[in-house]
């Protein structure tokens, strides 16, 4: 079965850039999405089709996907960005989520 | 307001059954594929399964861990999607979310608040 691998945790200082990676076999041949989940809340879509942002998502959120790795980049990170982030892709018609990355802003 | 509301969660014994409901508002439910995703406490997101629209023959698909035990259905006349869970195991304990697949983006753009299912004796 297809697997997506994320680092369990990433730390960043306020105002700096955070990068969260998601690795999978030939992931660049698929579309990747990213979801943000804060404690006690439902996931929120922040990036779709590798690099597109839904309305209401700040411009500091961006994404890329090439080769075996998709990357979520958060520029000028704020304390409000502290959350768990999940990548997601499709394996034929089934959905695959990465294990999640806890972003700590300190 | 566009939203999804799940209901039906609760405590059930191992081997038992439970049926969850997902009711949308603010969008055309019948045109949308609906998915279920679960999350055990302190763990990541796990895809449970989906049901497509009438135009796609209400096709269903399931994750490996629930296949053969869980069934997803929908009643477009009632604007409701369902998750029937049978032969429940303790490892099925989780918050269950329903979510809409926005076909234009091939991504989940609307999520419910989740309903807790606890499987325990």
């Amino acid at each position: 079965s297809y697997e997506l691998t994320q680092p369990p945790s990433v730390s960043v200082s306020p105002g700096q850039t955070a990068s969260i990676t998601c690795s999978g076999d030939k992931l660049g041949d698929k579309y990747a999405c990213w979801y943000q989940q804060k404690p006690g809340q439902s996931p929120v879509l922040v990036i779709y089709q590798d690099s597109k942002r839904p309305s209401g998502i700040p411009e500091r959120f961006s994404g890329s996907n090439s080769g075996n790795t998709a990357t979520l980049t958060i520029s000028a990170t704020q304390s409000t960005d502290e959350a768990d982030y999940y990548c997601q892709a499709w394996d034929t018609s089934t959905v695959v989520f990465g294990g999640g990355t806890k972003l700590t802003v300190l | 307001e566009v939203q999804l509301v799940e209901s039906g969660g609760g405590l059930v014994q191992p081997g038992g059954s439970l049926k969850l409901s997902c009711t949308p508002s603010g969008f055309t439910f019948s045109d949308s594929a609906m998915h279920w995703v679960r999350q055990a406490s302190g763990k990541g997101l796990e895809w449970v399964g989906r049901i497509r629209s009438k135009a796609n023959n209400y096709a269903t698909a399931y994750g490996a861990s629930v296949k053969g035990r869980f069934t997803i259905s929908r009643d477009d006349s009632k604007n409701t999607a369902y998750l029937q869970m049978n032969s429940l195991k303790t490892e099925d304990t989780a918050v269950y979310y329903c979510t809409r697949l926005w076909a234009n983006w091939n991504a989940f753009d609307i999520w419910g608040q989740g309903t807790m299912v606890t499987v325990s004796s």
Side-chain angles (χ1 to χ4, degrees):
Chain A
S1 62
Y2 194 77
E3 294 185 357
L4 295 174
T5 301
Q6 299 180 234
S9 63
V10 168
S11 297
V12 64
S13 300
Q16 299 303 303
T17 297
S19 295
I20 300 174
T21 58
C22 174
S23 299
D25 185 48
K26 297 180 181 178
L27 180 57
D29 292 344
K30 310 175 188 291
Y31 273 137
C33 305
W34 290 91
Y35 301 88
Q36 176 193 70
Q37 187 181 34
K38 297 182 178 180
Q41 298 184 18
S42 302
V44 172
L45 178 67
V46 295
I47 294 290
Y48 66 96
Q49 291 180 357
D50 295 339
S51 60
K52 299 178 181 178
R53 281 178 294 104
S55 62
I57 301 302
E59 290 185 12
R60 63 178 184 275
F61 286 84
S62 63
S64 63
N65 185 14
S66 179
N68 294 322
T69 304
T71 303
L72 173 68
T73 302
I74 309 173
S75 305
T77 306
Q78 301 179 2
S79 59
T80 54
D81 299 328
E82 190 162 282
D84 293 326
Y85 291 85
Y86 295 90
C87 61
Q88 177 253 309
W90 294 83
D91 179 30
T92 57
S93 62
T94 61
V95 175
V96 181
F97 288 100
T101 298
K102 181 176 181 59
L103 177 66
T104 301
V105 182
L106 43 68
Chain B
E1 181 185 6
V2 175
Q3 63 176 357
L4 293 166
V5 177
E6 301 95 338
S7 60
L11 174 64
V12 61
Q13 293 187 339
S17 298
L18 203 61
K19 188 173 186 176
L20 307 183
S21 299
C22 171
T23 303
S25 61
F27 66 93
T28 305
F29 171 76
S30 60
D31 291 344
S32 302
M34 300 301 298
H35 292 239
W36 289 89
V37 174
R38 69 184 182 183
Q39 185 173 37
S41 180
K43 302 298 184 182
L45 302 174
E46 180 186 9
W47 182 71
V48 173
R50 57 88 168 144
I51 185 166
R52 289 179 168 161
S53 65
K54 180 179 180 180
N56 291 286
N57 300 314
Y58 299 125
T60 56
Y62 301 91
S65 62
V66 307
K67 196 171 185 178
R69 299 188 298 122
F70 289 12
T71 302
I72 298 174
S73 61
R74 63 192 296 163
D75 186 337
D76 291 346
S77 67
K78 295 183 178 179
N79 258 17
T80 303
Y82 302 98
L83 176 63
Q84 175 68 47
M85 302 183 293
N86 298 330
S87 303
L88 282 161
K89 307 175 181 179
T90 55
E91 52 264 41
D92 295 319
T93 295
V95 173
Y96 284 74
Y97 297 100
C98 69
T99 179
R100 180 183 81 163
L101 177 70
W102 182 235
N104 290 353
W105 297 348
N106 217 25
F108 302 115
D109 67 330
I110 304 169
W111 293 71
Q113 85 288 353
T115 186
M116 183 70 205
V117 172
T118 303
V119 184
S120 175
S121 55

